[in-house]
Amino acid sequence: CIDVMEEMNVKNAYLPLGVKGDMIKYPELRPEIVKRLKWAGKEVGEIGGVIGVETSYDAKAEKEFLEEIGSPNIKSSFNFANAIRNGKNISSELKILGKENIAQIHASNTDGELIENDPALDMFAVKKTLDEMNWKGWLIIERSRDTDHVHDRKANYGANVAYLKSVFQNN
């Protein structure tokens, strides 16, 4: 991954630890994941890059995890869906993590509603929080599909991108 980042002059990578790397379900994996991410942080640092890691931790535990890794080149890929699933307030979680620990934001929830129609997502409150934190960076869109039209990727992603642009680029 780091070789590809360097070859393509890409500065940000996304590493979801996924189901098999879920350190809540499999806490015995944490020492090895930390060891590998310490190595990866050193390597990606040599090209001036950052790896955004998505875990299933809440913000407090994720911040502790990042501190254990101890690399400014390994940061959080913060996922709204994880915060919602954990019963946490998105804005509070962002503040706990702090802008220095966030590489990118996965600005989606699970399937059911488009972002604009999802009652669990208050994007104006999120924007306000990010503006107060002076955070700038990537917003990733993956899910948040209208289940009535789940296979219409163009319509779902197009609507979500248009909505996020209206919130975040409308100053």
Side-chain angles (χ1 to χ4, degrees), residues 45-77:
E46 290 180 13
I47 66 163
V50 172
I51 297 174
V53 178
E54 182 181 329
T55 73
S56 54
Y57 288 138
D58 66 11
K60 181 178 181 288
E62 186 148 315
K63 187 172 181 179
E64 291 168 358
F65 173 66
L66 294 172
E67 288 169 356
E68 186 177 349
I69 294 164
S71 171
N73 304 94
I74 303 294
K75 298 183 179 198
S76 173
S77 178

Side-chain angles (χ1 to χ4, degrees), residues 109-115 117-119 143-150 156:
N109 197 2
T110 57
D111 284 338
E113 301 287 343
L114 295 173
I115 293 171
N117 301 327
D118 190 334
R143 287 186 121 12
S144 297
R145 295 177 286 192
D146 178 344
T147 51
D148 290 337
H149 306 284
V150 72
N156 283 301

Side-chain angles (χ1 to χ4, degrees), residues 62-152:
E62 186 148 315
K63 187 172 181 179
E64 291 168 358
F65 173 66
L66 294 172
E67 288 169 356
E68 186 177 349
I69 294 164
S71 171
N73 304 94
I74 303 294
K75 298 183 179 198
S76 173
S77 178
F78 181 79
N79 188 334
F80 291 166
N82 288 340
I84 293 164
R85 188 173 33 256
N86 289 324
K88 303 289 184 171
N89 176 278
I90 293 169
S91 291
S92 297
E93 292 286 277
L94 289 166
K95 289 176 187 176
I96 290 168
L97 267 174
K99 82 175 193 176
E100 68 280 356
N101 292 311
I102 302 170
Q104 56 200 15
I105 295 176
H106 198 147
S108 299
N109 197 2
T110 57
D111 284 338
E113 301 287 343
L114 295 173
I115 293 171
E116 183 174 12
N117 301 327
D118 190 334
L121 294 173
D122 182 347
M123 296 311 299
F124 290 99
V126 169
K127 181 185 184 321
K128 181 176 188 256
T129 298
L130 293 173
D131 287 348
E132 289 169 358
M133 293 170 61
N134 198 30
W135 184 85
K136 305 277 187 244
W138 287 96
L139 296 177
I140 301 168
I141 303 169
E142 179 189 18
R143 287 186 121 12
S144 297
R145 295 177 286 192
D146 178 344
T147 51
D148 290 337
H149 306 284
V150 72
H151 298 293
D152 191 346

